[in-house]
Amino acid sequence: MSIQSIKNFTGSTTARLTASYLSIIMVMSLSFSAVSYNTSSHELGRQLPPQSLFDDDSSDPNYQQGNTYSPSPRVNAFIHDRIEEGRQVLLLRLLWVNLMVLVGGSILSYYLARRTLQPIEESMEAQSQFISDASHELRTPLTAIQTTNEVALRDKKMTIAGVRTVLEQNVEEVEKLKTLTDGLLKLAVQDSRGVHYDSRQAINLQDVVSEAMNRIMKSALAKNIAIEDTTQRIMVMVDQQTIVQAVLILLDNAVKYSPQDSTIYIQTSRKSKYAMLHVIDEGPGIRPYDLRKIFDRFYRADQSRSAQHVAGNGIGLALAKKIIDQHDGELSVTSAVGKGSTFTIKLPLQ
Ligand code: ADP
């Protein structure tokens, strides 16, 4: 769905919602006017003295049997005219009031309709952007596979070694596709399911870190990277598996972007009602411009320096941030180019 079609859709929905809100306001205003017109006009009618007042009245000391009074026809006509005039003035005022309610109500209804639809519009736009970014990312390895295979098919004299190379390239691209689709799937799950409060338990941060470290050890050893873990025993309220996933993303990045023979430090601290977990590396660092964007989906910083030679798809940090946000925590980063980066996870204490 394109941005234009989203705008068309929400445009017509805004009009429909505005009309619905306005009709509710007008029904209320007209009903109120009808009731107040009826009541007031009835009250006005009561200004006419009842006929009983002019009939025999034995309580009147000046009363004489057989006497009857009645206002002169002119007085009667005058009173009737005044009552009718009063009714017309009332009707006119109510019409004016309703006209003003119609104008004011239209503006208010439009404002309310926009406020109601804005978050929906934003989420539709984000979804549309996500689909187009994801399609673009999926196309890259698919195009690579297609080109390699087409070139290989045209080569009539291809050797077994050549075939092997093509197959190896294919497997590499398929591996990228698999990582990307796994990441997309996790993001989609996290988007739709979130983290339920009932799945949160009191978990020791040391257990989270050691589980994530076990999974990253092989890649760290391959680059002779040491991991210095000084995590303290701090209890946090989390969904263990998703938090392990977030810590793993930070450790995986630290290993991916750090040079051979460097050290990664994992440290913890407490700040008010929060636990802080720091993943510190001696990698290339991140430029201030990129720092603002690295949590965006599919963003890969500084292609020439860090990301070019490192496999990735730019969804790891977006996923980690989503997980931490859903735990009412915060994921932040500080970095110095050429020195390294510190990613900090802030989580509510137990
Ligand atoms: P990926 O690593 O798959 O590219 P991420 O979302 O995990 O995607 O990271 C986004 C970008 O942030 C990376 O492409 C990289 O440029 C930068 N980045 C992340 N972690 C680090 C780090 N520890 N050191 C330097 N750059 C990093």
Side-chain angles (χ1 to χ4, degrees), residues 15 18 31 80 99 138 147 174 212 254 273 280 310 328 345:
T18 305
S31 315
H80 268 112
L99 203 68
L138 287 166
T147 317
V174 169
K273 290 182 194 151
I280 305 160
V310 181
D328 305 317
I345 293 178

Side-chain angles (χ1 to χ4, degrees), residues 254 258 263-267 278-283 340-343:
S258 290
T263 306
I264 294 169
Y265 302 87
I266 306 176
Q267 298 170 357
H278 313 277
V279 177
I280 305 160
D281 67 52
E282 299 172 334
S341 312
T342 300
F343 283 84

Side-chain angles (χ1 to χ4, degrees), residues 70-106:
S70 62
S72 77
R74 280 176 59 204
V75 172
N76 244 341
F78 176 76
I79 294 174
H80 268 112
D81 283 355
R82 290 305 301 266
I83 290 171
E84 210 39 55
E85 210 177 289
R87 282 189 179 132
Q88 274 173 15
V89 168
L90 180 67
L91 197 63
L92 207 66
R93 285 205 180 144
L94 285 173
L95 276 175
W96 264 112
V97 168
N98 276 288
L99 203 68
M100 283 193 295
V101 171
L102 182 69
V103 175
S106 307

Side-chain angles (χ1 to χ4, degrees), residues 179 249-258 279-287 290 293-303 305-308 310-320 333 335 340-343:
T179 317
I249 290 169
L250 299 189
L251 282 177
D252 183 45
N253 278 347
V255 171
K256 268 192 325 189
Y257 296 105
S258 290
V279 177
I280 305 160
D281 67 52
E282 299 172 334
I286 304 161
R287 290 180 310 167
D290 295 317
K293 300 186 154 230
I294 53 169
F295 296 108
D296 292 351
R297 292 172 180 190
F298 302 110
Y299 188 80
R300 303 204 73 205
D302 199 351
Q303 299 292 318
R305 223 164 24 86
S306 62
Q308 195 186 33
V310 181
N313 44 42
I315 53 177
L317 286 179
L319 178 59
V333 58
S335 188
S341 312
T342 300
F343 283 84

Side-chain angles (χ1 to χ4, degrees), residues 177-214:
L177 275 173
K178 200 166 155 282
T179 317
L180 179 61
T181 46
D182 279 354
L184 290 175
L185 202 61
K186 282 178 189 157
L187 259 180
V189 168
Q190 216 57 42
D191 271 346
S192 64
R193 212 184 44 181
V195 174
H196 292 294
Y197 273 91
D198 17 319
S199 65
R200 297 187 194 185
Q201 297 166 355
I203 304 284
N204 180 356
L205 266 185
Q206 287 172 325
D207 296 339
V208 172
V209 171
S210 61
E211 193 176 335
M213 269 176 65
N214 283 341

Side-chain angles (χ1 to χ4, degrees), residues 55-338:
D55 292 343
D56 292 359
D57 183 1
S58 49
S59 62
D60 183 354
N62 300 321
Y63 166 73
Q64 288 178 5
Q65 189 89 41
N67 277 2
T68 53
Y69 313 96
S70 62
S72 77
R74 280 176 59 204
V75 172
N76 244 341
F78 176 76
I79 294 174
H80 268 112
D81 283 355
R82 290 305 301 266
I83 290 171
E84 210 39 55
E85 210 177 289
R87 282 189 179 132
Q88 274 173 15
V89 168
L90 180 67
L91 197 63
L92 207 66
R93 285 205 180 144
L94 285 173
L95 276 175
W96 264 112
V97 168
N98 276 288
L99 203 68
M100 283 193 295
V101 171
L102 182 69
V103 175
S106 307
I107 297 168
L108 181 71
S109 303
Y110 179 75
Y111 170 73
L112 288 177
R114 288 300 310 140
R115 272 197 68 146
T116 312
L117 290 174
Q118 198 172 349
I120 301 171
E121 196 176 322
E122 279 169 9
S123 110
M124 281 173 79
E125 270 184 36
Q127 205 175 14
S128 161
Q129 186 64 43
F130 178 66
I131 291 171
S132 95
D133 288 345
S135 314
H136 178 78
E137 290 296 320
L138 287 166
R139 266 185 83 90
T140 314
L142 283 174
T143 311
I145 293 173
Q146 190 183 14
T147 317
T148 324
N149 288 351
E150 279 173 358
V151 171
L153 280 172
R154 277 201 293 271
D155 186 352
K156 300 268 187 280
K157 297 177 195 142
M158 194 174 232
T159 59
I160 293 289
V163 173
R164 270 197 88 82
T165 313
V166 170
L167 287 178
E168 274 164 14
Q169 284 170 352
N170 281 351
V171 168
E172 203 176 299
E173 295 302 330
V174 169
E175 201 58 51
K176 279 188 201 163
L177 275 173
K178 200 166 155 282
T179 317
L180 179 61
T181 46
D182 279 354
L184 290 175
L185 202 61
K186 282 178 189 157
L187 259 180
V189 168
Q190 216 57 42
D191 271 346
S192 64
R193 212 184 44 181
V195 174
H196 292 294
Y197 273 91
D198 17 319
S199 65
R200 297 187 194 185
Q201 297 166 355
I203 304 284
N204 180 356
L205 266 185
Q206 287 172 325
D207 296 339
V208 172
V209 171
S210 61
E211 193 176 335
M213 269 176 65
N214 283 341
R215 296 209 218 159
I216 204 70
M217 239 2 165
K218 210 171 135 200
S219 338
L221 284 174
K223 284 178 82 176
N224 197 27
I225 290 175
I227 302 184
E228 230 175 72
D229 173 27
T230 53
T231 306
Q232 302 161 33
R233 184 186 157 77
I234 302 180
M235 302 303 284
V236 283
M237 284 304 287
V238 294
D239 172 63
Q240 183 162 359
Q241 279 323 304
T242 48
I243 287 296
V244 168
Q245 204 177 348
V247 175
L248 187 61
I249 290 169
L250 299 189
L251 282 177
D252 183 45
N253 278 347
V255 171
K256 268 192 325 189
Y257 296 105
S258 290
Q260 297 260 351
D261 308 317
S262 59
T263 306
I264 294 169
Y265 302 87
I266 306 176
Q267 298 170 357
T268 46
S269 57
R270 284 168 208 260
K271 198 171 172 191
S272 157
K273 290 182 194 151
Y274 292 92
M276 316 292 271
L277 178 87
H278 313 277
V279 177
I280 305 160
D281 67 52
E282 299 172 334
I286 304 161
R287 290 180 310 167
Y289 172 79
D290 295 317
L291 274 184
R292 279 180 273 130
K293 300 186 154 230
I294 53 169
F295 296 108
D296 292 351
R297 292 172 180 190
F298 302 110
Y299 188 80
R300 303 204 73 205
D302 199 351
Q303 299 292 318
S304 61
R305 223 164 24 86
S306 62
Q308 195 186 33
H309 308 294
V310 181
N313 44 42
I315 53 177
L317 286 179
L319 178 59
K321 181 161 168 39
K322 179 111 219 165
I323 292 172
I324 304 301
D325 285 350
Q326 284 175 340
H327 279 87
D328 305 317
E330 244 177 67
L331 175 60
S332 57
V333 58
T334 55
S335 188
V337 175

